[in-house]
Structures are given as C-alpha cells and as structure tokens.
C-alpha cells in the first residue's frame, strides 16, 4: 500500500530548472566555455559540482577555481530564485498535493539542491510537506538512492510504500535503485525507465495515479 509521496523539486513542482540553466549559462559565457540550453538538458537533477565538471570538461581548472565557479553560479541562482512566489508552482502541483494530503498520504521533498528550503518557503509549500531531504542531507548524489532513502526515513515509511516523482534520468534511476515506485515527468528518452511516465503534473489526480501504478505492478 502506498503511504507516501516524495517529490523532486526542480522541474517537478516548479521550473527552477530554468534558473539553474540561466546561472550555468552566465558562468559559461564568462569563462568562454560553449554551453547552451540543449547541453543543460543533460544536467537536470545533477549535483552542482558534477554539473560544473561536465561543463568544464577537460579544461585545466584548479580546485580553488572550481570552488569559486560553484559559488559564483550559486550567487546567480540565488538572485534568480529571490523572485519566486506561489505563482511559480507548476500546473497541477498544488491540486495533487492537496488531494494526497486529504487521502492521508505523507508528503516529502527529495531535492539535491542546497537551496531547496528557500525555494519551498517562497513557493508557500513549507506547511504542506512532512519532510524535506535536500542537498545537505546525504553525501552521495542521485543517481544513488541515498537522498530518497533519507526522505523515506524522515516520513517513517519503507521505500516500497513510497512513490517518487522525478523529471530527471538521474532521479528516476535513484528512485528505482531505492526500491520505490517511480513516476517520470517528461519525454520517454529522459524518464522512460519510470513505472509511469506523464508529460507533467497538469490534470493528474491521485485516483488516476493509483490505477496506473497498479497496472504497472502487474
Ligand atoms: C537539483 C537540480 C540541479 C542542481 C542540483 C543542485 O538536482 O535539478 O540542476 O544542480 O539540484 O542544486 P544547488 O542549488 O545545490 O546548486
Ligand atoms: Mg528535477
């Protein structure tokens, strides 16, 4: 029986994926490194450090320069998320959260971001969630299952009692590795490994999801 839902934040409940992109793009431009929206697609759900490593490739930066660039990108990102309001919730997010809560299902957030608490506050979600696992919670990033496992513990549930909602390939992989039910949002090429794939949360209800997950279980 499903007792908990764990939502990824960036790209699932809100489109901060766009702000991460803008932050990386500004940094890459300053460094004269080729980067674009398409290259950024591969960074969805990828940790800050790993994202930077993929952007710089084999360019010979020192550890100090890497640290500075991570901090610089984060400053740009923090500037961008300052303006977030509940209007930045993606379509369908609040309706689903409210329906789940009414059904007695626990709700957690499992985000690799160290800025997750700020974003959750600004979105007005702080009172709607029972647990938050963020970029400070575990050492090993997605695709390792650690972050989602941490969230299941916070909820007091077993992985198999939980559904993870993710927009990133690394996140789907993490949830499957952790033994959770997995809903992928986005194109099949990105999230096709999930038990259920949907374009977004728009119009999605718990009643529908339960049916789809039961079908996937057979
Ligand atoms: C999420 C986002 C990634 C981001 C990561 C770290 O997983 O999808 O794009 O790189 O969090 O976020 P942070 O705010 O700590 O740099
Ligand atoms: Mg995401």
């Amino acid at each position: 029986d499903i007792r908990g839902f764990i939502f990824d934040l960036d790209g699932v409940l809100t489109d901060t994926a766009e702000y991460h992109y803008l932050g990386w793009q500004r940094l890459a431009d300053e460094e004269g490194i080729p980067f674009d929206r398409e290259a950024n697609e591969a960074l969805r759900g990828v940790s800050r450090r790993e994202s930077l490593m993929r952007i710089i490739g084999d360019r010979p930066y020192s550890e100090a320069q890497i640290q500075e660039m991570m901090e610089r990108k984060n400053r740009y990102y923090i500037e961008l998320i300052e303006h977030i309001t509940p209007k930045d919730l993606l379509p369908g997010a609040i309706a689903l959260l409210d329906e789940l809560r009414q059904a007695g299902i626990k709700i957690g957030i499992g985000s690799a971001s160290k800025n997750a608490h700020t974003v959750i506050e600004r979105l007005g979600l702080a009172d709607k969630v029972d647990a938050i696992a963020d970029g400070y919670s575990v050492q090993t990033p997605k695709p390792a299952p650690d972050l989602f496992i941490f969230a299941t513990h916070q909820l007091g549930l077993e992985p198999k009692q939980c559904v993870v909602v993710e927009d990133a390939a690394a996140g789907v992989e993490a949830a499957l590795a952790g033994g959770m039910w997995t809903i992928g949002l986005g194109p099949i090429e990105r999230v096709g490994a999930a038990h259920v794939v949907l374009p977004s949360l728009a119009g999605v209800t718990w009643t529908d999801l339960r049916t789809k997950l039961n079908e996937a279980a057979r």
Side-chain angles (χ1 to χ4, degrees):
D1 234 30
I2 286 161
R3 309 256 324 268
F5 261 66
I6 302 166
F7 291 88
D8 173 51
L9 183 62
D10 297 326
V12 169
L13 297 177
T14 187
D15 198 12
T16 38
E18 176 68 12
Y19 299 145
H20 282 294
Y21 161 66
L22 292 171
W24 288 127
Q25 183 71 65
R26 187 167 164 193
L27 179 90
D29 289 348
E30 286 169 352
E31 295 296 317
I33 300 173
F35 186 68
D36 57 24
R37 212 172 263 283
E38 202 192 315
N40 183 70
E41 270 302 298
L43 303 183
R44 253 174 210 271
V46 175
S47 74
R48 193 185 308 172
R49 188 186 182 90
E50 181 59 23
S51 296
L52 178 62
M53 298 321 262
R54 293 195 198 176
I55 290 169
I56 64 178
D58 53 12
R59 289 170 186 80
Y61 284 105
S62 69
E63 179 57 29
Q65 287 173 312
I66 287 170
Q67 286 299 333
E68 184 281 322
M69 288 191 286
M70 282 166 47
E71 283 160 28
R72 195 179 344 149
K73 182 270 177 175
N74 195 48
R75 282 203 306 278
Y76 299 154
Y77 182 69
I78 287 172
E79 275 173 30
L80 292 163
I81 61 174
E82 256 170 41
H83 309 288
I84 289 182
T85 73
K87 285 187 181 147
D88 291 295
L89 281 160
L90 285 169
I94 278 293
L96 181 59
L97 289 178
D98 287 343
E99 189 191 358
L100 288 169
R101 176 156 294 275
Q102 291 211 325
I105 289 174
K106 292 203 171 147
I107 296 169
I109 295 198
S111 167
S113 174
K114 293 191 161 148
N115 298 293
H117 270 272
T118 309
V119 173
I120 290 163
E121 282 290 336
R122 299 242 155 90
L123 290 171
L125 292 183
D127 295 338
K128 293 189 184 276
V129 299
D130 303 298
I132 298 173
D134 70 5
Y136 295 102
S137 302
V138 297
Q139 286 296 317
T140 320
K142 303 171 192 177
D146 304 38
L147 185 79
F148 290 135
I149 299 278
F150 184 93
T152 62
H153 290 161
Q154 284 182 309
L155 294 175
L157 299 174
E158 298 287 325
K160 62 176 189 303
Q161 298 177 301
C162 294
V163 179
V164 166
V165 187
E166 259 290 349
D167 70 313
V172 169
E173 203 182 311
L176 293 172
M180 293 137 211
W181 295 101
T182 311
I183 296 172
L185 302 183
I188 295 276
E189 307 81 67
R190 196 169 78 206
V191 294
H195 294 105
V196 173
V197 175
L198 299 167
S200 74
L201 289 181
V204 171
T205 65
W206 165 226
T207 317
D208 275 3
L209 283 180
R210 194 161 41 186
T211 310
K212 291 198 166 100
L213 287 165
N214 278 332
E215 279 165 12
R218 267 189 251 120

